[in-house]
Amino acid sequence: MSTRRSPASSRCPIVSEWTALAVGALLFLAPAAPAAEIDAPLQAVIAQYVQPLLEDPQLIAAVKAQNAVTSGYDDAKIGELDSKWQAEIGSTMIPTITPVWDNPVSDALRAQVDRSGGLIKEMFVMDARGLNVAVSHLTSDYWQGDEEKYLETFARGAGAIHVGAVEFDESTQVYTQQLSLTVSDPQSGAAIGALTLGLDAEMLP
């Protein structure tokens, strides 16, 4: 059973020499790579934790429903919503954040994060405009449409995968890496959104 919670600080590991070398090697993974070119550990993550979500009718329905609403948004509207989201972080009044935070798909994302035993730090789903549909943890932005996690997946069509660079997260004191994939309509095969997960790079083989 998943619980709704805000992001919290995790452990503060001492990075071993081996870990540093492994993390450095991950930096050479190419962005927007086909699934066949993704390293085996990341393929295993996709198969175990991501593919079930990409095939989840509830997630697909939520993305399509939001697309029906946001397809008519212009840049000004998106910017307004993004500003509201950022202003609501830390506030008791969160009308923009609540529908994204408190929904069944967000619960499903949190359940997968819990099942990963610390490997996955966060997961979130975007619509066709790059706006959040569901989140496991609170993101700093509502709109992801100007970032590679969206531009290298949804914008490239079905089957696209983007592997981000390994970065040191000051808040958690661990090396993290983002993995993003296009969300596609299982019936038509058309790209409808994107999904991103943040991984603890030190836990990857």
Side-chain angles (χ1 to χ4, degrees):
M1 179 176 176
S2 63
T3 57
R4 298 189 177 100
R5 59 184 183 276
S6 297
S9 296
S10 111
R11 57 190 173 81
C12 299
I14 297 173
V15 180
S16 66
E17 181 178 355
W18 180 90
T19 300
L21 290 172
V23 168
L26 286 170
L27 287 167
F28 293 97
L29 287 171
E37 297 178 9
I38 302 298
D39 282 2
L42 294 181
Q43 288 189 26
V45 170
I46 293 171
Q48 184 171 357
Y49 300 109
V50 182
Q51 198 59 42
L53 292 171
L54 296 179
E55 297 171 356
D56 183 356
Q58 186 171 243
L59 185 150
I60 300 300
V63 175
K64 292 172 74 172
Q66 184 161 307
N67 283 343
V69 175
T70 61
S71 61
Y73 288 179
D74 58 16
D75 291 345
K77 177 66 172 180
I78 290 174
E80 176 189 352
L81 290 170
D82 195 40
S83 295
K84 287 182 177 179
W85 177 283
Q86 294 176 41
E88 290 174 16
I89 295 175
S91 172
T92 56
M93 301 295 290
I94 51 174
T96 310
I97 293 174
T98 296
V100 176
W101 176 262
D102 190 7
N103 66 60
V105 178
S106 289
D107 287 343
L109 298 183
R110 282 185 277 269
Q112 288 296 68
V113 170
D114 289 342
R115 290 188 190 104
S116 76
L119 173 60
I120 301 174
K121 312 305 288 186
E122 66 172 344
M123 301 183 84
F124 52 95
V125 178
M126 300 155 266
D127 67 13
R129 302 302 303 277
L131 294 165
N132 289 344
V133 175
V135 297
S136 69
H137 295 69
L138 192 60
T139 60
S140 58
D141 301 311
Y142 182 35
W143 183 57
Q144 320 293 336
D146 59 343
E147 300 181 25
E148 287 185 338
K149 62 176 67 73
Y150 169 85
L151 297 172
E152 298 290 343
T153 56
F154 173 80
R156 289 178 176 260
I161 299 175
H162 177 256
V163 181
V166 175
E167 298 177 341
F168 187 71
D169 188 331
E170 292 288 349
S171 64
T172 61
Q173 294 292 294
V174 298
Y175 285 94
T176 60
Q177 181 175 41
Q178 286 193 339
L179 175 65
S180 304
L181 305 90
T182 300
V183 175
S184 300
D185 184 333
Q187 295 183 331
S188 68
I192 59 173
L195 182 151
T196 291
L197 57 157
L199 299 169
D200 183 337
E202 298 172 33
M203 292 185 66
L204 291 169

